[in-house]
Amino acid sequence: MTDSKYFTTTKKGEIFELKAELNSDKKEKKKEAVKKVIASMTVGKDVSALFPDVVNCMQTDNLELKKLVYLYLMNYAKSQPDMAIMAVNTFVKDCEDPNPLIRALAVRTMGCIRVDKITEYLCEPLRKCLKDEDPYVRKTAAVCVAKLHDINAQLVEDQGFLDTLKDLISDSNPMVVANAVAALSEIAESHPSSNLLDLNPQSINKLLTALNECTEWGQIFILDCLANYMPKDDREAQSICERVTPRLSHANSAVVLSAVKVLMKFMEMLSKDLDYYGTLLKKLAPPLVTLLSAEPELQYVALRNINLIVQKRPEILKHEMKVFFVKYNDPIYVKLEKLDIMIRLASQANIAQVLAELKEYATEVDVDFVRKAVRAIGRCAIKVEQSAERCVSTLLDLIQTKVNYVVQEAIVVIKDIFRKYPNKYESVIATLCENLDSLDEPEARAAMIWIVGEYAERIDNADELLESFLEGFHDESTQVQLQLLTAIVKLFLKKPTETQELVQQVLSLATQDSDNPDLRDRGYIYWRLLSTDPVAAKEVVLAEKPLISEETDLIEPTLLDELICYIGTLASVYHKPPSAFVEGSRGVVHKSLPPRAGSSESAESPEAAPSAGQAAEQPAVIPAQGDLLGDLLNLDLGPPVSGPPMAASSVQMGAVDLLGGGLDSLMGDESEGLRGDVGGSPAMGGSGFTAPGPAAPAGMGAPLSSDLGDLFDLTGGVGTLSGSYVAPKTVWLPAMKAKGLEISGTFSRQVGSICMDLVLTNKALQVMSDFAIQFNRNSFGLAPAAPLQVHAPLAPNQSVEISLPLNTVGSVMKMDPLNNLQVAVKNNIDVFYFSTLYPLHILFVEDGKMERQMFLATWKDIPNENEAQFQIKDCSLNADAVSSKLQGSNIFTIAKRNVEGQDMLYQSLKLTNGIWVLAELRIQPSNPSFTDLELSLKCRAPEVSQYVYQAYDAILKN
């Protein structure tokens, strides 16, 4: 029959009956009565009146009855301390019982009776049990010492129990060792100053021996104790690691995490050159992956710990990306955590996989998860530069879905991408502006306003857009109001004449009609700046912004090191040190990792996350104060310019915006400050030329200041790079078509900048002067980076050679053919038009060499229909000559193989708008009579391939 019957009685006078039964002579009746008492106690009835009667039942050989009486005793001893003393004799007797189970039971119960009066009587029995011949009794007594220490620490120290505990660490039984370690750790935690666990190589050896044989919780105590030990050198650290590693395959996840903690800690002391270090890295991945097949709650704990491990040593899991892909039935907390780790592990090698996965997530139904997935795409773009273009085109696809919350998240992350890669992807602004009306979240509205303010010169109706936000200024959140104020001030500094009313309106709204102190302060600062010193205002508001860093949510290195010491505990789940959430008198010790092996080593693995020791080596993203001042002084501080606005056209070619906005041009980031001066040209026509000299007609772009003239004189004393191919000059505009002006020229690329090398010849009978030049919109945004400088009037029959620097931040429009350039040249006689084809290799940038892994991944990733085949006829060069010749024009060889007598060159190049082209070139050195080369090109924008082939042909044959 079950024990449930004891819980069903509802008799009156129950206590009296129980008293009678407890004093019965029959053992069975006594046992039944005690069971009833325990049942009443369990359901919350007060049965303390029966204390003396129950204590009398202790004198029995029946183990079951004894356990029940002890249970009652533990419960009521605190409320009946005087009565509890009656039980002391029985305890003392039981501690000498021949049955080890009874001895252990007595000592366990003694530890649980938290009554000061009794504790001193318990010292003798405890001392005997600590030296008992049975290990079961010894291990129970060890834990009892910790409990007694909690009640009366002084008593335990005076009685010398702590020394006895330390001796138990050398016990022959592994369970005793584990409990002794657990007890000492518990005591040490409440007394951080006492050096109880005085570990040395001998005691560590004993702990490691016990580790293999004790229960799983015993193993956890021993591993946690090992984690607090500081090995004397790397050899000792390695030997401990070797003996702890087998624990990684344990079935209990707590044991696995404790072992990982020990290994992560001691790996700090191992040199990265050791073979063992690499082996250890490989061994750490499988157990962590296995943890992810447990139930969701355990997965979450594992993922939070893996998040820390990946920040400290990403190389451990860099090949395990797939296990972090989200399953459809994962709970949301697991999904979000996996997403976080995916981004941390994203690298050039696996980015294609990650992006495909993230794009899938962005179409899920769970709104929180979709938002985080869209953010993740943006974080990938910022983290892996080579993937930025694909991330942007993925985000644009998502914006086209018109799902409100997806559009808003996409706009927030695109703002960050603009900040990381200025002048690269601004061609998408037009698409963003189309979605203005649907934005209702403060963060998305603020991001959009920032974009409009930052790129006001490229958006024709920027003033109207900002004005539309201004209508409900007081209903906006503070974040949006602050952003709107700054954006309108930026707009005013870029287009002062058109936006004077708008800026006055926003300043009065921010200062006179607002209660928010932040907004008022910012408003007053802008007001005073603009009214006292517009040049200073331009310096401050339009200053060049520092690039944002890759990982903004990394845990600060010293905190990360501390959290690594707490792997497998609550601290590792909260990502906070224990001192942040543990209250009470216990002094929490701050743990830290051991010093690095050869702390000065600089051969840091490229993927490794920055540890505390490396903080100094991190590239400074924000320049030091001195640099900032230097940069400010170098800015062009002329009066604000109201240059013609730049059209924000976005030409879609396939899935990629082939003609992405401004690029790594001659002016680098300086172009930001100069856009007002040399920005987009107005439509072709007779007026609107950038003329040299101070007498620029009103409405034209202002002349460049003399400091900036120097900026463009980059060719001084440098000369073209050896091997960079420049085509011979050809006549572009014959004299008979241009009233006597003949123009011939070519294009060249010198040290990262593009030049148009012109020869102007006067074949007329009159002097020519007042030259100016302008380009129509073209496929790659080519535009003059400086005015056409003809210093003296051009006399009849005279020629002048000019090298005109070009940049690629002009307006973009797809031309046919793609490399067609329409040019207008003006002089004192008339305006003349001609068009010419520029060779594409002038757009091949210097950082076009792709990593091998990335090359393979990208080649596979680009669809086969994008591959184009060409033949380069009559080229008798060998592979090395071909490679060095092409490298001169920024076509880089990544690998060379010989397959069946054919040399295969694998090459990559990158265009100024960020498009990569991959090439495979076959050469047959063994057959001199066969001089044709076979060229295969792969590119996401296949329209480019034909022109890249022409560049190859021209470079190799000249």
Side-chain angles (χ1 to χ4, degrees), residues 554-860:
L554 280 176
I555 293 175
E556 190 267 323
T558 46
L559 173 59
L560 180 62
D561 286 355
E562 186 176 355
L563 291 177
I564 292 288
C565 302
Y566 287 109
I567 284 177
T569 67
L570 265 182
S572 68
V573 178
Y574 291 154
H575 286 189
K576 289 179 177 172
S579 52
F581 59 87
V582 175
E583 290 181 356
S585 57
R586 297 191 168 193
V588 177
V589 197
H590 281 287
K591 299 184 179 179
S592 61
L593 292 178
R596 291 298 305 268
S599 306
S600 58
E601 79 181 46
S602 56
E604 198 51 60
S605 78
E607 308 98 320
S611 70
Q614 289 162 260
E617 299 166 29
Q618 284 303 301
V621 180
I622 298 177
Q625 199 60 40
D627 307 349
L628 268 176
L629 288 173
D631 291 351
L632 284 175
L633 296 173
N634 293 338
L635 274 180
D636 165 30
L637 304 178
V641 176
S642 68
M646 193 166 277
S649 71
S650 136
V651 182
Q652 290 294 330
M653 296 181 69
V656 177
D657 179 2
L658 164 68
L659 310 167
L663 301 147
D664 324 328
S665 64
L666 149 86
M667 298 194 297
D669 290 334
E670 293 265 351
S671 56
E672 188 68 23
L674 313 174
R675 182 118 342 96
D677 305 308
V678 297
S681 338
M684 295 301 257
S687 66
F689 284 90
T690 304
M700 301 184 190
L704 286 159
S705 71
S706 57
D707 327 358
L708 294 173
D710 302 344
L711 173 66
F712 297 116
D713 188 19
L714 287 178
T715 53
V718 180
T720 53
L721 279 172
S722 62
S724 174
Y725 166 63
V726 182
K729 292 189 177 77
T730 52
V731 175
W732 286 339
L733 182 67
M736 56 187 286
K737 284 189 178 175
K739 300 182 182 174
L741 173 64
E742 182 182 278
I743 300 179
S744 54
T746 185
F747 294 90
S748 63
R749 185 178 183 91
Q750 307 172 8
V751 203
S753 61
I754 305 167
C755 286
M756 185 185 211
D757 300 321
L758 299 166
V759 178
L760 306 182
T761 308
N762 182 355
K763 294 194 174 175
L765 299 172
Q766 66 189 94
V767 173
M768 294 181 182
S769 61
D770 303 336
F771 286 92
I773 191 165
Q774 188 181 323
F775 295 175
N776 196 1
R777 295 198 296 182
N778 55 76
S779 305
F780 291 89
L782 277 173
L788 186 60
Q789 303 272 10
V790 182
H791 294 294
L794 197 56
N797 292 322
Q798 212 180 359
S799 294
V800 62
E801 291 196 15
I802 297 160
S803 190
L804 177 71
L806 308 181
N807 61 31
T808 48
V809 296
S811 299
V812 166
M813 182 173 75
K814 188 179 174 187
M815 301 296 285
D816 187 26
L818 206 61
N819 59 342
N820 188 15
L821 181 65
Q822 297 173 341
V823 184
V825 173
K826 164 186 170 287
N827 63 12
N828 58 335
I829 300 171
D830 203 348
V831 178
F832 309 105
Y833 302 97
F834 65 90
S835 69
T836 179
L837 300 178
Y838 50 89
L840 213 62
H841 70 263
I842 62 166
L843 303 174
F844 298 171
V845 295
E846 280 64 24
D847 62 348
K849 186 162 187 177
M850 209 180 241
E851 296 286 324
R852 284 187 177 202
Q853 298 303 109
M854 185 65 175
F855 183 91
L856 279 170
T858 314
W859 185 277
K860 287 178 190 160

Side-chain angles (χ1 to χ4, degrees), residues 145-153 157 162 182-194 196 584-589:
V145 173
K147 290 178 176 171
L148 198 59
H149 188 275
D150 202 32
I151 304 165
N152 188 340
E157 284 161 30
L162 293 180
L184 284 169
S185 304
E186 181 77 19
I187 295 169
E189 229 169 77
S190 56
H191 288 67
S193 52
S194 63
L196 289 175
S585 57
R586 297 191 168 193
V588 177
V589 197

Side-chain angles (χ1 to χ4, degrees), residues 60-295:
T60 174
D61 306 333
N62 186 318
L63 189 59
E64 190 184 3
L65 182 55
K66 215 179 229 346
K67 278 184 179 174
L68 291 168
V69 174
Y70 278 170
L71 194 63
Y72 176 89
L73 204 59
M74 281 190 258
N75 200 38
Y76 282 117
K78 195 135 195 178
S79 56
Q80 309 262 353
D82 299 333
M83 303 286 280
I85 289 184
M86 292 162 47
V88 167
N89 281 336
T90 318
F91 279 134
V92 175
K93 230 162 89 185
D94 279 356
C95 284
E96 293 174 4
D97 194 278
N99 183 343
L101 289 177
I102 290 182
R103 298 202 298 274
L105 181 64
V107 84
R108 178 182 294 129
T109 312
M110 280 165 22
C112 294
I113 296 179
R114 304 176 62 82
V115 177
D116 269 345
K117 282 186 182 175
I118 301 181
T119 42
E120 53 202 63
Y121 296 108
L122 303 181
C123 292
E124 267 324 297
L126 181 59
R127 184 174 285 108
K128 283 180 186 160
C129 288
L130 281 167
K131 303 230 165 71
D132 199 283
E133 78 252 9
D134 193 289
Y136 183 74
V137 181
R138 292 201 300 275
K139 86 177 180 70
T140 312
V143 177
C144 188
V145 173
K147 290 178 176 171
L148 198 59
H149 188 275
D150 202 32
I151 304 165
N152 188 340
Q154 198 54 51
L155 180 72
V156 171
E157 284 161 30
D158 296 346
Q159 295 283 343
F161 287 146
L162 293 180
D163 296 329
T164 319
L165 259 190
K166 287 181 191 169
D167 295 343
L168 285 183
I169 287 185
S170 313
D171 198 277
S172 57
N173 185 291
M175 269 319 300
V176 178
V177 176
N179 278 19
V181 167
L184 284 169
S185 304
E186 181 77 19
I187 295 169
E189 229 169 77
S190 56
H191 288 67
S193 52
S194 63
N195 188 16
L196 289 175
L197 276 163
D198 184 18
L199 298 172
N200 52 41
Q202 289 72 36
S203 56
I204 287 292
N205 196 23
K206 287 170 186 156
L207 291 183
L208 287 165
T209 309
L211 187 60
N212 298 323
E213 295 165 39
C214 55
T215 65
E216 47 197 25
W217 296 109
Q219 292 183 26
I220 292 167
F221 286 127
I222 291 178
L223 287 167
D224 287 350
C225 176
L226 286 173
N228 295 327
Y229 175 62
M230 187 70 74
K232 60 179 190 296
D233 57 22
D234 57 341
R235 284 182 58 190
E236 190 186 356
Q238 180 174 337
S239 108
I240 294 174
C241 288
E242 282 166 356
R243 293 177 70 179
V244 167
T245 311
R247 298 301 107 212
L248 291 173
S249 50
H250 201 285
N252 184 327
S253 50
V255 176
V256 173
L257 283 176
S258 293
V260 168
K261 168 167 65 184
V262 174
L263 296 173
M264 285 292 288
K265 220 173 156 180
F266 291 171
M267 272 170 86
E268 286 292 307
M269 299 185 68
L270 302 179
S271 158
K272 294 199 166 185
D273 309 334
L274 279 178
D275 292 343
Y276 180 68
Y277 181 86
T279 316
L280 200 50
L281 283 182
K282 288 196 190 101
K283 282 185 180 168
L284 275 168
L288 293 172
V289 170
T290 308
L291 291 177
L292 297 182
S293 51
E295 52 270 33

